[in-house]
Amino acid sequence: MVLVFLGTIAQAYLGTFAAQEFYFRSWFLVWKPPHSSVGIPYFPGGYFIGLFLFLNLIATGIVQFSLKLKKLGLLLIHAGLCLFIIGEIVSGVTARESQMEIRVGEGVDFSEDMREVELVVRDITEPGVIREVKLSATKLTPGKERAMSDTPFSVTLKKYYSNADLTVKRGDRAPAADRGVGAKVVVEPKPMIIDDEEVNNAVVVLGLHAGQNSLGTWLLSNGITTPERFLYRGKEYEMMLRQKRYEYPFRIELTDFVHETYPGTDIPKNFTSSIRVLNADGELDRQALITMNHPLRYQGLTIFQASYGDNDRISVFQVVDNPVRFFPYLSSALVGVGLVFQFIITLFRRRGGK
Amino acid sequence: MKTFIAVIVVIMIISVYSMFPFEDSLYLEKVKVLPARHEGRVKPLDTVARQALLAIHSSQSLFFENQMISPIQWLLEVSMRPDQASGYPIFRIDHPEVLSLFVKYPGERKYFSFRDLAPFLDTIRLHEEMALAVDESVRDSYHNAILKLAEQVALYEQLQGVELFGALDGHERLRKKLWQSYQEGDIWTFSHNLVEYSDLLDEDYPEAAGNARFEAIFNESQPFLVTIIVYLFAFLLVLVFWCFSSQTCQEWAFSFIVAGFLLHTTGLIARMVIEGRPPVTNLYSSAVFVGWGAVLFGLFLERKLRDGLGIAVSAVIGAITLVIAHQLVGSGDTLEVMRAVLNSNFWLAVHVVTITMGYSAMFVAGFVAVFYILRRALTRRESLSEAKVATQVVYGVICFALLFSFVGTVLGGIWADQSWGRFWGWDPKENGALLIILWDAILLHARWAGLLKGRGVMMLAVFGNAVTAFSWFGVNMLGVGLHAYGFTEHSYIWLAVFILSQILIMVLALLPVKQTVARLRKEGL
């Protein structure tokens, strides 16, 4: 009770995602004294309590286990509750949500993570052929050199800002980097955005190397859409920071997007996207309508209408990958059946008693 | 027989309300029921007028030169004779800093007309911009007051000269004549044209016109306000019954509760008919429904126990929730259209109704416990047999509450899975529902394990009131999460007061009392 209450209030201050991570997807609530990297746990977190409840339920189940019919209802109810807990813990770890932005008339085969960013280096020497290598920003540690596989390059992270503004360098303030855009700008760090709708402007400053040679210090941000370009040994490369992408063996094309409002107002009545799904060979696999309350379920993913943009010319979908999606349904069914059993048993007991 | 008489009385009260000659002119009665399209649905001009006046003036009646001006009259003036209307003292300003912008020595005066504020419009806009630049979380009362005033002024400006009769197409010439005749003050011609226009609309749009008429009658009759009066009266009768043990009083009280319930039901159904939706669609209708559900539970309780407790609980919860609903009227059209993500009658009917029935049950159990504790504390004695019965009642209702809350929450999870791709997201509203389930589970398990006896069950049930109030309203006030639909300002205080009152009652339960059916051993917690 206490955990849920605190975790709920905290959402107004920390934002829903951060509060959920801190209170529910953690073993302990920790307090970090200022200037210290050591945290002091002061209250059990979601995983701890969840596990505790789960073990409690299992223990009770073992101790009080009896296959008598009249206990069946209780058994089912508590088995279902166990499954709820397992489902929530597992989905907390394995579920993945991302967004897919598609313009009417176009198609995409990837979705973007709204929080994580990745470093991308591309070989664009040959026109029409793009060789791309990605490295997730979470794998970058300050000071450590990381090789980018299949390229002659490695990068060393010098500075990471989770959210920052870039302003044109004025006066004699030192620029953030010495090559590319970074040589002309200064970084102004900002507090992280907690609003679930907005994306943080992540900035990385890194040193680029090829073997022993240093190719300079560069600044990259997911807020800068033009990639940095450089040459090495006669080949041309592009480098940028963007939202982490998840690629799929299929392509979704948006043929139409309809945004219905109530006549004479801006109040949305319905959003409908007409889409076509093409498989890896480019053949039409599915045609569907995705609207509010009616997502598309395809290859284990759930794709549902999340938002829209650019005057109704872009439709934005949320893509949810949750392997244990069906758990809550199973748990609900178990508990439901258990409750019905219990109710019937109690009813009979009352009648019998009278 | 008594019930029949009670119902007749209620109908009489409603008729008085409906016929109260607010409009002494026939043309106002006629223009009130004209259909208009506003905020995405067709509604009578009466609703538009009431909403607008409420938004700008914070009240549905306007006084000018000791005369009361009705909403529809005001709307006609603002739209077609703005110069005249600009003299009405419609803007209410309480905040001294805001007042000082217009008046050198802010005295007693609180009401200002548009004409009074006209020279200061630029100042208002400037201060509005300054207030908007301040981050929402650090705004103080001055900022909020100036923003509110700016909003009201903007609304007023929009209404000046607005075309009232243009919502439904057709008959432009006639509409022009209506406009002209009213502007010139020629009420005779206006009425004449109005009758003609109204008849034409009835022909062209029979459904819209009929619905608008129905809704106007609904507005007039104020069924929920009358219900509050009936419930309070029934409560009074119950108090008399408890003081003087008059069986007749109990019977009359029951009759009036039933009559009130029938009115409550009629109002609820009327809303459903007008909206074409299940009973609960926004915070306002949830309040109306929670009251309805609680009264229903209370009636069953009274039939079983026949000791006035059921009536008392029904009356109190029914009245309080309807008063809360009344406070929520000011936040816009209570019959508003459903935005896209809520646009599903199936889920609204199934998930939302089940959850609100869960709230009703929680409050019924909680208030039975409240009355029980209060009686125990006031009379300083406790009958053990009655204690047993009361505990069983509370226990039974909590079981219902748990069932409804659990099923409702699961249904919510399924809806969320269909709509947002995840069954559970630790959203504040979801957490609120979880808190109710956890609390009920704690209560029930504690009783089964023998950790709690009568008094403990009562105390926990009372705390259940606090948990439910937090889950229903408190989570909305946080303003975050996917469920933040019914945001209410300044209600923090009321919620805090309510929760404190429940804690106080819990403490009262600890008072030692003389227990009849004398036993030397202590029973209960």
Side-chain angles (χ1 to χ4, degrees):
Chain A
M1 288 277 305
V2 175
L3 185 70
V4 174
F5 179 69
L6 291 176
T8 306
I9 304 285
Q11 292 190 25
Y13 301 105
L14 298 177
T16 48
F17 182 73
Q20 285 167 29
E21 290 294 303
F22 183 74
Y23 283 88
F24 304 121
R25 305 224 158 92
S26 62
W27 287 98
F28 286 99
L29 306 185
V30 284
W31 173 64
K32 281 207 173 79
H35 310 301
S36 157
S37 54
V38 177
I40 305 172
Y42 60 89
F43 199 82
Y47 288 148
F48 188 99
I49 293 186
L51 186 65
F52 187 74
L53 275 171
F54 178 72
L55 292 174
N56 191 14
L57 284 166
I58 299 275
T60 322
I62 294 173
V63 166
Q64 302 212 3
F65 187 77
S66 67
L67 274 177
K68 290 196 216 150
L69 194 66
K70 59 180 181 177
K71 293 281 184 189
L72 187 60
L74 287 173
L75 187 67
L76 286 174
I77 294 174
H78 293 89
L81 289 173
C82 277
L83 207 57
F84 266 124
I85 298 176
I86 299 177
E88 182 54 29
I89 294 182
V90 172
S91 71
V93 171
T94 60
R96 202 177 65 195
E97 289 191 30
S98 51
Q99 274 198 353
M100 207 181 247
E101 222 180 81
I102 316 181
R103 192 169 273 277
V104 176
E106 294 176 5
V108 301
D109 60 359
F110 64 89
S111 63
E112 295 178 310
D113 192 300
M114 297 321 281
R115 290 194 178 88
E116 287 183 35
V117 290
E118 60 186 7
L119 173 66
V120 179
V121 174
R122 283 178 172 154
D123 179 342
I124 55 170
T125 325
E126 278 177 68
V129 177
I130 297 183
R131 275 180 268 270
E132 188 176 276
V133 172
K134 300 183 287 192
L135 181 64
S136 172
T138 49
K139 294 206 168 73
L140 293 171
T141 355
K144 278 196 84 172
E145 190 172 329
R146 284 244 176 269
M148 296 210 66
S149 49
D150 299 327
T151 69
F153 309 113
S154 57
V155 294
T156 313
L157 178 67
K158 295 199 193 261
K159 278 224 171 68
Y160 176 80
Y161 304 91
S162 44
N163 192 20
D165 277 330
L166 297 174
T167 52
V168 173
K169 165 180 112 72
R170 254 188 259 278
D172 46 83
R173 284 185 71 177
D178 59 30
R179 296 282 304 275
V181 161
K184 303 192 207 113
V185 300
V186 170
V187 182
E188 314 267 2
K190 293 193 295 194
M192 271 193 77
I193 291 174
I194 60 172
D195 193 324
D196 295 317
E197 304 285 306
E198 291 178 36
V199 176
N200 283 297
N201 212 35
V203 174
V204 299
V205 177
L206 37 80
L208 184 65
H209 321 269
Q212 299 292 2
N213 304 330
S214 163
L215 297 174
T217 315
W218 299 77
L219 177 145
L220 301 170
S221 168
N222 61 344
I224 303 175
T225 41
T226 348
E228 296 280 39
R229 286 207 176 164
F230 60 96
L231 291 167
Y232 180 73
R233 298 237 170 115
K235 289 194 174 185
E236 203 180 349
Y237 295 93
E238 257 182 6
M239 186 166 64
M240 64 180 158
L241 197 71
R242 66 175 185 206
Q243 304 300 133
K244 182 170 176 189
R245 286 187 182 183
Y246 305 108
E247 280 165 10
Y248 303 110
F250 56 83
R251 191 177 175 78
I252 297 187
E253 277 182 7
L254 181 67
T255 47
D256 195 16
F257 175 69
V258 174
H259 171 184
E260 266 185 88
T261 49
Y262 287 98
T265 68
D266 283 332
I267 305 171
K269 191 172 177 191
N270 202 5
F271 299 104
T272 311
S273 302
S274 310
I275 58 142
R276 301 166 76 228
V277 187
L278 307 170
N279 63 15
D281 299 318
E283 293 160 348
L284 182 63
D285 195 5
R286 279 250 247 164
Q287 203 158 338
L289 285 177
I290 301 181
T291 112
M292 299 301 301
N293 297 312
H294 289 107
L296 168 71
R297 305 203 198 272
Y298 183 75
Q299 290 195 9
L301 301 168
T302 313
I303 302 170
F304 63 100
Q305 185 73 56
S307 180
Y308 60 100
D310 193 13
N311 243 333
D312 297 349
R313 287 195 282 268
I314 291 180
S315 182
V316 182
F317 302 99
Q318 188 93 347
V319 180
V320 177
D321 182 3
N322 186 358
V324 290
R325 219 192 104 237
F326 66 94
F327 264 41
Y329 290 92
L330 190 57
S331 329
S332 310
L334 275 175
V335 177
V337 170
L339 283 170
V340 170
F341 250 80
Q342 195 58 23
F343 182 65
I344 296 178
I345 291 168
T346 322
L347 203 64
F348 275 116
R349 204 189 301 154
R350 287 262 168 85
R351 294 275 159 85
K354 283 195 184 158
Chain B
M1 182 58 200
K2 289 195 178 73
T3 316
F4 183 65
I5 298 177
V7 171
I8 299 289
V9 170
V10 170
I11 292 179
M12 273 167 40
I13 303 177
I14 281 276
S15 318
V16 165
Y17 253 88
S18 308
M19 292 191 318
F20 193 134
F22 204 21
E23 330 292 359
D24 40 11
S25 326
L26 202 63
Y27 74 93
L28 287 175
E29 287 292 328
K30 203 100 190 138
V31 90
K32 251 185 186 173
V33 302
L34 284 184
R37 183 170 282 132
H38 182 241
E39 288 179 342
R41 72 177 185 99
V42 173
K43 48 175 99 158
L45 278 178
D46 184 45
T47 305
V48 178
R50 282 175 194 267
Q51 242 185 285
L53 191 58
L54 199 60
I56 299 178
H57 187 54
S58 306
S59 160
Q60 281 189 26
S61 48
L62 178 62
F63 285 93
F64 179 62
E65 288 171 357
N66 282 322
Q67 272 205 313
M68 184 149 72
I69 302 177
S70 69
I72 187 69
Q73 194 161 16
W74 169 75
L75 186 64
L76 287 174
E77 291 285 295
V78 170
S79 59
M80 293 189 281
R81 289 207 291 214
D83 290 326
Q84 257 97 327
S86 61
Y88 298 150
I90 194 172
F91 296 99
R92 179 179 166 148
I93 306 174
D94 292 303
H95 200 285
E97 273 180 62
V98 178
L99 278 171
S100 63
L101 291 175
F102 320 117
V103 181
K104 264 211 199 96
Y105 305 107
E108 295 280 313
R109 195 172 162 198
K110 282 189 295 192
Y111 291 99
F112 296 84
S113 67
F114 188 69
R115 209 176 286 157
D116 293 329
L117 293 183
F120 302 101
L121 287 181
D122 286 328
T123 321
I124 296 177
R125 262 177 223 123
L126 182 68
H127 283 261
E128 181 194 6
E129 268 176 50
M130 294 197 302
L132 282 173
V134 177
D135 191 57
E136 212 176 315
S137 47
V138 296
R139 283 187 198 145
D140 62 22
S141 63
Y142 165 73
H143 293 127
N144 290 324
I146 195 74
L147 285 175
K148 185 148 190 241
L149 180 64
E151 201 184 316
Q152 287 171 336
V153 169
L155 255 168
Y156 187 92
E157 284 177 314
Q158 270 177 10
L159 286 171
Q160 279 186 314
V162 76
E163 235 255 78
L164 287 181
F165 307 114
L168 299 171
D169 305 315
H171 315 292
E172 273 90 3
R173 232 168 22 101
L174 190 54
R175 277 154 42 191
K176 258 213 184 75
K177 282 204 279 183
L178 278 170
W179 190 274
Q180 264 180 312
S181 46
Y182 192 89
Q183 276 197 316
E184 288 162 11
D186 182 1
I187 296 299
W188 196 91
T189 316
F190 180 73
S191 303
H192 191 73
N193 289 334
L194 189 63
V195 170
E196 199 186 324
Y197 184 59
S198 176
D199 289 337
L200 286 170
L201 277 185
D202 282 342
E203 261 176 55
D204 292 342
Y205 305 100
E207 206 182 308
N211 286 344
R213 243 184 219 103
F214 181 65
E215 187 176 334
I217 296 174
F218 176 75
N219 286 346
E220 290 274 86
S221 58
Q222 304 270 34
F224 300 124
L225 287 185
V226 176
T227 313
I228 297 175
I229 300 173
V230 176
Y231 285 155
L232 288 176
F233 184 61
F235 185 60
L236 229 63
L237 288 174
V238 167
L239 286 178
V240 173
F241 167 55
W242 282 344
C243 287
F244 302 109
S245 302
S246 153
Q247 191 61 28
T248 342
C249 268
Q250 190 267 356
E251 288 167 13
W252 276 110
F254 189 72
S255 307
F256 272 97
I257 277 283
V258 169
F261 181 68
L262 288 172
L263 183 59
H264 200 157
T265 313
T266 313
L268 205 61
I269 294 179
R271 281 183 55 91
M272 285 169 67
V273 165
I274 294 174
E275 273 191 308
R277 293 270 180 204
V280 186
T281 52
N282 53 18
L283 204 61
Y284 173 85
S285 44
S286 76
V288 173
F289 192 78
V290 169
W292 183 85
V295 175
L296 186 65
F297 275 114
L299 287 176
F300 276 108
L301 199 60
E302 185 63 26
R303 285 286 283 227
K304 192 160 175 259
L305 295 178
R306 295 192 182 278
D307 62 356
L309 188 60
I311 302 174
V313 167
S314 295
V316 167
I317 302 177
I320 294 180
T321 49
L322 285 176
V323 167
I324 293 174
H326 185 68
Q327 298 303 318
L328 291 171
V329 167
S331 46
D333 186 7
T334 64
L335 294 161
E336 60 193 339
V337 292
M338 295 277 90
R339 75 195 78 181
V341 69
L342 293 177
N343 193 0
S344 162
N345 273 355
F346 172 74
W347 288 116
L348 285 173
V350 167
H351 158 63
V352 180
V353 167
T354 320
I355 286 275
T356 34
M357 294 246 32
Y359 291 167
S360 301
M362 287 297 288
F363 284 130
V364 167
F367 273 90
V368 166
V370 165
F371 276 110
Y372 182 79
I373 292 174
L374 284 176
R375 189 181 78 164
R376 186 179 177 277
L378 286 171
T379 61
R380 305 305 287 279
R381 57 185 70 232
E382 179 176 38
S383 149
L384 287 171
S385 54
E386 277 184 2
K388 192 165 176 212
V389 169
T391 311
Q392 277 184 333
V393 164
V394 170
Y395 165 73
V397 180
I398 292 276
C399 280
F400 259 111
L402 178 59
L403 182 68
F404 278 118
S405 299
F406 180 77
V407 171
T409 307
V410 163
L411 289 170
I414 299 176
W415 187 5
D417 188 46
Q418 300 286 327
S419 200
W420 302 318
R422 94 281 187 277
F423 183 87
W424 188 261
W426 300 105
D427 182 85
K429 199 83 182 186
E430 292 169 344
N431 289 348
L434 182 61
L435 285 172
I436 293 182
I437 295 174
L438 286 174
W439 190 249
D440 284 348
I442 290 174
L443 198 162
L444 295 180
H445 281 85
R447 186 164 184 266
W448 291 326
L451 290 172
L452 277 187
K453 299 245 171 41
R455 183 166 61 172
V457 168
M458 295 294 171
M459 285 168 70
L460 259 61
V462 170
F463 191 69
N465 279 344
V467 175
T468 310
F470 176 74
S471 171
W472 186 16
F473 284 104
V475 293
N476 290 345
M477 294 173 192
L478 295 173
V480 285
L482 295 165
H483 261 107
Y485 300 133
F487 185 73
T488 39
E489 305 173 1
H490 314 305
S491 326
Y492 294 91
I493 303 178
W494 286 110
L495 183 66
V497 164
F498 179 70
I499 292 180
L500 271 166
S501 70
Q502 300 304 293
I503 295 179
L504 258 154
I505 293 178
M506 284 169 71
V507 168
L508 268 181
L510 295 168
L511 276 177
V513 295
K514 178 171 176 189
Q515 295 185 320
T516 55
V517 185
R519 276 171 124 120
L520 286 173
R521 259 188 13 250
K522 241 213 278 201
E523 256 218 27
L525 261 184

